[in-house]
Amino acid sequence: MKTIRDIETLRVVIESYKKERQIIGFVPTMGYLHEGHMALVNVANEENDIVVMSIFVNPTQFGPNEDFESYPRDEARDTALAEQNGVDILFLPSVETMYPENLTATIHAQKRVSVLDGATREGHFDGVLIVLAKLFHLVQPDSAYFGQKDAQQVAVVQGFVADYFLPLTIRVIPTVREQDGLAKSSRNVYLTEQEREEAPVIHAALRKAREEVKERDTARVLANIRVAMDQKKTHEKIVYLDMYQYPSFEPVEDWEKPIIIAICVQYSKARLIDNEIIGGA
Amino acid sequence: MKTIRDIETLRVVIESYKKERQIIGFVPTMGYLHEGHMALVNVANEENDIVVMSIFVNPTQFGPNEDFESYPRDEARDTALAEQNGVDILFLPSVETMYPENLTATIHAQKRVSVLDGATREGHFDGVLIVLAKLFHLVQPDSAYFGQKDAQQVAVVQGFVADYFLPLTIRVIPTVREQDGLAKSSRNVYLTEQEREEAPVIHAALRKAREEVKERDTARVLANIRVAMDQKKTHEKIVYLDMYQYPSFEPVEDWEKPIIIAICVQYSKARLIDNEIIGGA
């Protein structure tokens, strides 16, 4: 595995792969790698000649009161994990490398962002698109790999890629979970012991809701999830819990088409998200 | 020459060029081709294996009271000219092809746009960047060719390409002029006979100013241009006339560094721009 920190070296390496007509798979991450990331790397390895992973905690997608500074980082461990799992190129840029000066132009997410993380994390998806536009242009992947846990992010990125005709495929990989159902997340390390014990209720409540959706009663589905969540005591609050068509994030009108139930739960330090997508391919 | 109107065909053709490792030069235009465009095509032909030209009158870069509807169009003549001048691929998309639905994300120019066309044509450069982002991703050129007449556009596009690490070079080609000095422009057809006779004053006044800049007196340089312009009667007004550092479009502070004098003149129907860049490489 080759570790690269600067733009020029990355460009040269990518250019040489392109000349050799190697197929490039790209896994953009914020590091603190877990099995969810490794699932992306595994699929990328199956589908491509070369796997590029980026680790970059992107400041523009964090709000002023969010956890940019305290976001967990462990470069040595991440590097070892990436190498063990067959990453070919690990791109580890600094903030100064990715943002050498103020942007001449900014990107603003307009659709699919009026709800959930788009509503509660102002500017979050703008920052996601800005950094991904940069990374996609640098890495020039044939495919880029995202986890379904970040379903709204996936929808926004897919819309951006389609709108701007980016020559790459977005591949969405199912959420990887702990044995008790808790979605793998870098932020799980923020959980206290008791919170960790109770957090699997999130997935359990959403799974149960899958069945109830058949009755086509949005209010009841959501109310039952809240009842299930309320039986646990450790979380501070449900930041959001809602159902939409997927991937439009418009209100549910057609029960035959894909529907997402998405939740965000605030614990003492951890803000966790999860979702279930019902129907569709 | 191959004329292509749809995204899928263009993608297939570009993909085949990429596989053959052909170097692609790209000339994005709004059509109604003149010798200015052909100068870009000529350089592109010298520097590349394949020349792709797009003709697309892009609605998102026109304001509500601007000339989108009446912008001159002549597809048959343009097609013949492109073919005669060695264009390999002519991309002629419809508005529906380029904008199949509302954008998931928009791009907003933030720097180099507080003055001149950025100030007088609200949203103009946003639209320019949006359509160029789309076209760059589709054509995947090694180089893209722009005329110096659109100097502010060039500066904004260069900033965008640098910020977002687009893997292409922006090549800027000197403005092509009529024998009497008037900059070639698709909008020159809007000029009445008398306006056409007097319009060369724009270039003459700017040329004269080149010399006066040596005295480092911004107010006097600009006043003298206005005096020269005032000796002609046909134009309605000077929309803007100003001097800046180039390409930052910041106020002039360092006379050793490149300076642009830029002017926009409104005639009865034609809105013409021109500029002189002084100093620099």
Side-chain angles (χ1 to χ4, degrees):
Chain A
M1 187 180 77
K2 197 176 176 116
T3 298
I4 297 176
R5 294 175 192 276
D6 69 290
I7 303 289
E8 259 329 295
T9 308
L10 183 63
R11 279 197 196 278
V12 169
V13 168
I14 294 294
E15 200 46 52
S16 74
Y17 289 139
K18 291 280 165 189
K19 282 187 181 160
E20 296 162 3
R21 308 225 4 241
Q22 305 272 12
I23 306 299
I24 298 175
F26 177 43
V27 183
T29 81
M30 298 208 303
Y32 217 72
L33 302 175
H34 52 69
E35 287 164 52
H37 301 108
M38 292 313 146
L40 306 183
V41 170
N42 290 344
V43 181
N45 259 316
E46 284 164 21
E47 297 181 350
N48 301 274
D49 301 318
I50 299 292
V51 175
V52 179
M53 175 185 276
S54 63
I55 295 182
F56 180 61
V57 184
N58 172 37
T60 64
Q61 73 190 67
F62 287 82
N65 299 315
E66 293 182 11
D67 58 347
F68 172 68
E69 293 297 339
S70 65
Y71 193 87
R73 293 162 169 91
D74 189 340
E75 189 179 301
R77 184 174 158 280
D78 284 350
T79 302
L81 271 172
E83 177 142 36
Q84 283 157 29
N85 282 269
V87 169
D88 298 290
I89 300 294
L90 181 61
F91 182 49
L92 282 170
S94 68
V95 171
E96 293 66 34
T97 298
M98 290 302 286
Y99 297 97
E101 50 186 324
N102 287 340
L103 294 165
T104 308
T106 49
I107 299 174
H108 296 275
Q110 302 285 2
K111 281 162 65 177
R112 308 178 173 182
V113 295
S114 63
V115 298
L116 308 178
D117 282 328
T120 58
R121 302 185 69 185
E122 203 193 320
H124 169 66
F125 289 115
D126 296 351
V128 168
L129 291 179
I130 286 168
V131 78
L132 286 176
K134 288 173 179 255
L135 290 168
F136 287 162
H137 293 142
L138 284 171
V139 176
Q140 300 180 56
D142 295 276
S143 302
Y145 295 79
F146 292 85
Q148 191 203 295
K149 182 166 80 71
D150 301 314
Q152 192 175 15
Q153 170 175 290
V154 165
V156 173
V157 173
Q158 283 178 322
F160 177 72
V161 166
D163 283 351
Y164 287 93
F165 304 122
L166 274 87
L168 62 93
T169 302
I170 300 294
R171 295 274 290 113
V172 187
I173 309 303
T175 303
V176 176
R177 299 180 181 282
E178 305 288 350
Q179 286 218 321
D180 57 17
L182 178 65
K184 299 258 185 186
S185 166
S186 304
R187 290 188 172 98
N188 289 352
V189 296
Y190 293 150
L191 293 169
T192 66
E193 197 173 333
Q194 199 193 339
E195 288 171 344
R196 174 65 192 82
E197 211 164 279
E198 294 196 2
V201 69
I202 301 171
H203 180 55
L206 293 181
R207 287 296 295 182
K208 192 149 162 281
R210 279 191 90 87
E211 289 307 305
E212 291 167 3
V213 164
K214 290 172 186 157
E215 292 162 38
R216 304 192 172 188
D217 182 342
T218 305
R220 197 172 151 208
V221 168
L222 298 178
N224 284 341
I225 296 170
R226 284 189 185 273
V227 168
M229 291 297 299
D230 281 350
Q231 287 168 8
K232 303 294 176 182
K233 306 297 177 206
T234 59
H235 60 278
E236 265 177 26
K237 63 171 178 179
I238 296 175
V239 180
Y240 60 68
L241 167 64
D242 221 331
M243 278 173 78
Y244 301 98
Q245 303 287 171
Y246 191 82
S248 70
F249 287 95
E250 299 287 336
V252 175
E253 286 181 351
D254 185 342
W255 293 85
E256 303 298 321
K257 290 193 173 158
I259 288 168
I260 186 167
I261 309 176
I263 191 168
C264 177
V265 184
Q266 181 68 53
Y267 290 87
S268 56
K269 279 185 65 189
R271 183 189 195 273
L272 303 186
I273 61 173
D274 204 346
N275 64 73
E276 284 283 315
I277 296 176
I278 297 144
Chain B
M1 186 181 77
K2 195 175 177 116
T3 298
I4 297 176
R5 293 176 192 275
D6 69 289
I7 303 289
E8 258 331 293
T9 308
L10 182 64
R11 277 197 197 279
V12 169
V13 168
I14 295 294
E15 200 46 50
S16 74
Y17 288 138
K18 290 281 166 190
K19 281 187 183 161
E20 295 162 5
R21 309 225 3 240
Q22 305 272 11
I23 306 298
I24 299 175
F26 177 43
V27 183
T29 82
M30 299 210 302
Y32 217 72
L33 302 175
H34 52 67
E35 287 164 53
H37 300 107
M38 292 313 147
L40 307 183
V41 170
N42 291 344
V43 182
N45 258 315
E46 284 164 22
E47 297 180 351
N48 301 273
D49 301 317
I50 299 291
V51 175
V52 179
M53 173 185 276
S54 63
I55 295 182
F56 180 61
V57 184
N58 172 37
T60 64
Q61 73 189 67
F62 288 82
N65 300 314
E66 293 182 10
D67 58 347
F68 172 69
E69 294 296 340
S70 66
Y71 193 87
R73 292 163 170 90
D74 189 341
E75 188 180 303
R77 183 174 158 281
D78 284 350
T79 302
L81 270 173
E83 178 141 35
Q84 283 158 29
N85 283 270
V87 169
D88 298 289
I89 300 293
L90 182 61
F91 182 49
L92 283 170
S94 67
V95 172
E96 292 67 34
T97 298
M98 289 301 286
Y99 296 97
E101 51 186 325
N102 288 338
L103 293 165
T104 308
T106 50
I107 299 174
H108 296 275
Q110 302 284 3
K111 280 163 66 178
R112 307 177 174 184
V113 296
S114 64
V115 299
L116 307 178
D117 283 327
T120 59
R121 302 185 68 186
E122 202 194 321
H124 169 67
F125 289 115
D126 295 351
V128 168
L129 292 179
I130 286 168
V131 77
L132 285 176
K134 288 173 180 255
L135 289 168
F136 289 161
H137 292 141
L138 284 171
V139 176
Q140 299 179 57
D142 295 277
S143 301
Y145 294 80
F146 292 85
Q148 191 203 294
K149 184 167 78 71
D150 301 314
Q152 193 175 15
Q153 170 175 290
V154 165
V156 173
V157 173
Q158 282 177 322
F160 176 71
V161 166
D163 283 350
Y164 287 94
F165 305 122
L166 273 86
L168 61 94
T169 302
I170 299 295
R171 294 275 291 114
V172 187
I173 310 303
T175 303
V176 177
R177 300 180 180 282
E178 306 288 351
Q179 287 219 320
D180 58 16
L182 178 64
K184 300 258 185 187
S185 166
S186 304
R187 289 188 172 96
N188 288 351
V189 296
Y190 293 151
L191 293 169
T192 66
E193 197 173 331
Q194 200 193 336
E195 288 171 345
R196 174 65 191 82
E197 210 164 280
E198 294 196 3
V201 68
I202 301 171
H203 179 56
L206 293 181
R207 286 297 294 182
K208 192 148 161 284
R210 281 192 88 87
E211 289 307 305
E212 292 167 1
V213 164
K214 289 170 188 160
E215 292 163 38
R216 304 192 172 189
D217 181 342
T218 305
R220 196 171 152 210
V221 169
L222 298 177
N224 283 341
I225 294 171
R226 284 188 185 273
V227 168
M229 291 298 299
D230 282 350
Q231 287 167 9
K232 303 295 176 180
K233 306 295 177 206
T234 60
H235 59 280
E236 265 176 25
K237 63 171 178 180
I238 296 174
V239 180
Y240 59 69
L241 167 64
D242 221 330
M243 279 173 77
Y244 300 99
Q245 303 286 170
Y246 190 83
S248 71
F249 287 95
E250 300 288 336
V252 174
E253 288 181 350
D254 185 342
W255 293 86
E256 303 298 321
K257 290 195 174 157
I259 287 167
I260 185 167
I261 309 176
I263 191 169
C264 176
V265 184
Q266 181 67 51
Y267 290 88
S268 56
K269 277 185 70 189
R271 182 188 196 275
L272 303 186
I273 62 172
D274 205 346
N275 64 73
E276 285 283 315
I277 296 175
I278 297 143

